[in-house]
Amino acid sequence: MKKQNKTTATKSTQKLPWHKKLLRILWKSALYFFAISIGLVILFKWVPVPFTPLMITRAFEQNSAGKDMVCMHDWVPIEEISPNMQRAVVAAEDGTFKTHHGFDFRAMRMAYEHNKKGKKIKGGSTISQQTAKNVFLWQGRSYLRKGLEAYFTFLIELIWGKERIMEVYLNSIEMGDGVYGVQAASKYWYRKDASKLTKREAAGIAAILPNPRKYTATNSSSYIERRKSRIVKHMRYVGNLDY
């Protein structure tokens, strides 16, 4: 009797029209995607992120260019990251970090208007969006990637909270050629631990984030020196980051 039921179920599945089979596959794929993505976000709420897609991409780029593959990355808890560094990235990258829920729609609208005029592309991404992109997604510009970025941004805001987002952000982003995370950057640029960064030094690292492989935090160009000064000035208004 059991064999007959199994045979009947198999035949009924085979009789399904192609579009229903496709819908079933898509439904199962969506369930797997949501289960895996939510599972990863929950995992990384507690576990340090070992590497990011960008680190892998850069390693392949270095190998293709015939260079040595360099990846300096040293995870440290947020308690060992200078408050100066935390305030510096808020001042430089995301002034509304403490109050928004993942998205700064005013900044996004301003970036859209700026780019529509044909000027140099300007982003309106928050620290939360940048963290979601760096940890879970590939580089590039497409509607699919932006949609996934919004999805992961919503998840980390919901599950991680601001302190964990800041911790992952400062431990994962590119801060030099082959340099990832504030501890590696602090040692690379200033020969000290991230916990000992001064305001000016923290501003130096934050100032190069738009293009950390082009700019340098030390022996900087006049453009970066001006950015450092502006960031130090704006850090006064950030205040304490009481997550």
Side-chain angles (χ1 to χ4, degrees):
M1 190 68 179
K2 287 183 179 179
K3 287 184 178 179
Q4 288 179 348
N5 290 339
K6 190 173 183 180
T7 304
T8 304
T10 303
K11 286 182 178 179
S12 64
T13 303
Q14 290 174 347
K15 289 179 182 178
L16 281 174
W18 68 269
H19 64 278
K20 287 192 175 181
K21 287 183 180 178
L22 178 61
L23 285 174
R24 179 173 287 186
I25 292 170
L26 291 174
W27 173 248
K28 286 184 177 180
S29 298
L31 288 178
Y32 284 129
F33 168 74
F34 286 123
I36 293 170
S37 60
I38 294 171
L40 282 174
V41 172
I42 293 172
L43 176 69
F44 289 141
K45 178 178 174 64
W46 312 108
V47 177
V49 179
F51 58 86
T52 66
L54 180 60
M55 294 178 192
I56 298 171
T57 300
R58 294 287 188 245
F60 279 112
E61 289 175 353
Q62 292 167 350
N63 186 53
S64 299
K67 300 178 181 178
D68 292 332
M69 287 188 285
V70 178
C71 182
M72 289 176 275
H73 181 226
D74 187 6
W75 182 283
V76 290
I78 198 166
E79 293 79 14
E80 296 178 21
I81 299 175
S82 169
N84 289 324
M85 189 69 241
Q86 298 173 51
R87 285 195 289 268
V89 292
V90 171
E93 296 287 297
D94 185 2
T96 61
F97 176 70
K98 293 189 292 184
T99 57
H100 67 60
H101 298 289
F103 308 93
D104 185 342
F105 295 104
R106 180 174 175 273
M108 291 166 67
R109 185 174 65 253
M110 289 174 63
Y112 172 77
E113 294 295 334
H114 181 92
N115 298 335
K116 194 168 65 172
K117 294 176 182 176
K119 297 180 181 179
K120 187 178 178 181
I121 293 177
K122 181 179 180 180
S125 296
T126 63
I127 284 174
S128 301
Q129 288 174 277
Q130 292 178 50
T131 304
K133 176 187 70 177
N134 286 331
V135 174
F136 298 105
L137 300 172
W138 65 95
Q139 300 297 303
R141 293 178 179 276
S142 68
Y143 289 115
L144 173 61
R145 197 193 65 78
K146 291 301 289 183
L148 290 173
E149 179 186 301
Y151 167 72
F152 279 107
T153 299
F154 169 77
L155 281 185
I156 65 175
E157 280 279 341
L158 180 67
I159 296 173
W160 287 3
K162 296 294 186 182
E163 185 174 31
R164 181 60 175 177
I165 290 171
M166 178 62 76
E167 184 175 45
V168 174
Y169 175 78
L170 288 176
N171 275 290
S172 303
I173 58 171
E174 191 174 32
M175 294 180 164
D177 192 7
V179 181
Y180 303 93
V182 66
Q183 178 71 352
S186 184
K187 289 187 174 181
Y188 180 78
W189 294 114
Y190 302 114
R191 304 293 187 267
K192 61 169 63 175
D193 288 329
S195 61
K196 299 177 180 177
L197 287 170
T198 65
K199 288 182 180 180
R200 187 76 183 182
E201 290 166 345
I205 295 175
I208 68 172
L209 293 184
N211 196 336
R213 293 195 298 165
K214 176 182 178 181
Y215 302 122
T216 60
T218 57
N219 299 318
S220 308
S221 65
S222 57
Y223 166 70
I224 293 298
E225 287 298 328
R226 290 194 300 272
R227 273 184 59 83
K228 288 181 189 179
S229 298
R230 285 198 299 271
I231 291 168
V232 170
K233 181 180 177 180
H234 292 155
M235 284 168 68
R236 303 173 194 165
Y237 307 110
V238 173
N240 293 326
L241 292 171
D242 297 323
Y243 303 105

